[in-house]
Amino acid sequence: MKRYLMLIAAALMLFASCQEPPTIITDQSSTYVGTMKVGYEGEEFDQNGISVKAELYPDGTTMDLKLEKVKFVPAMPIRIDVTIMGIPVETAADGSVTFSADAVTPWAMGGPYDTYRVDALTGCIENERISFSLDFFNTKKNEGYPTSFEGVKK
């Protein structure tokens, strides 16, 4: 009996740890495909064909960025999705969008991933193109990985 209770408890913990970030219901989302560049050990690690989904909240003042199936270092054994949530945006009269945020905990692998912090995020969406830069700061190693993305609307 004790064994079954332990198995049930383990299953519940596993289920609870596989949370998804909140879903934003909006028709204002776009996917961009392009190149991500990550600074790693003094070199630049480039990845082509990376998808980034930009989802504007219904209020038009905030958005999420979802980086899909990315690797941050060449030796990373798997690709992961990373979501940066709650980014303040400003929309200009011409429809271009600028955004910036600092000290944001990204979501990855089923929940908030506080080993890394997104710092110095700045970017722009205009003319069917997106570009942004940020620093993925490793809070345990006290070092950052400069990251940039440029892509076109899919």
Side-chain angles (χ1 to χ4, degrees):
M1 180 68 163
K2 208 176 198 184
R3 178 186 242 185
Y4 291 114
L5 288 175
M6 299 235 343
L7 285 173
I8 290 171
L12 287 173
M13 284 191 293
L14 180 63
F15 178 74
S17 69
C18 292
Q19 302 172 25
E20 287 293 320
T23 300
I24 305 305
I25 312 274
T26 177
D27 61 352
Q28 299 183 50
S29 68
S30 298
T31 300
Y32 300 85
V33 177
T35 301
M36 178 180 286
K37 298 179 180 186
V38 180
Y40 174 71
E41 294 183 350
E43 306 256 335
E44 193 170 82
F45 175 52
D46 294 358
Q47 300 172 80
N48 296 314
I50 297 297
S51 292
V52 170
K53 187 173 187 179
E55 294 182 311
L56 191 64
Y57 288 35
D59 69 6
T61 64
T62 312
M63 77 171 187
D64 294 347
L65 285 177
K66 182 177 183 182
L67 291 60
E68 299 176 334
K69 299 188 181 3
V70 297
K71 291 174 75 169
F72 292 100
V73 297
M76 194 170 159
I78 61 169
R79 294 183 177 274
I80 62 172
D81 293 344
V82 176
T83 303
I84 306 165
M85 297 186 299
I87 304 164
V89 302
E90 290 185 20
T91 304
D94 65 1
S96 63
V97 175
T98 57
F99 52 93
S100 63
D102 202 36
V104 177
T105 300
W107 279 61
M109 298 183 291
Y113 195 58
D114 60 3
T115 298
Y116 287 89
R117 183 180 69 224
V118 173
D119 287 336
L121 169 62
T122 60
C124 182
I125 301 172
E126 66 181 328
N127 299 326
E128 308 283 311
R129 302 182 72 79
I130 187 173
S131 63
F132 61 86
S133 63
L134 57 89
D135 189 49
F136 275 109
F137 187 79
N138 185 320
T139 58
K140 296 196 186 305
K141 293 183 178 179
N142 203 30
E143 63 184 352
Y145 303 99
T147 303
S148 64
F149 179 81
E150 290 188 14
V152 295
K153 194 170 184 178
K154 188 174 173 181

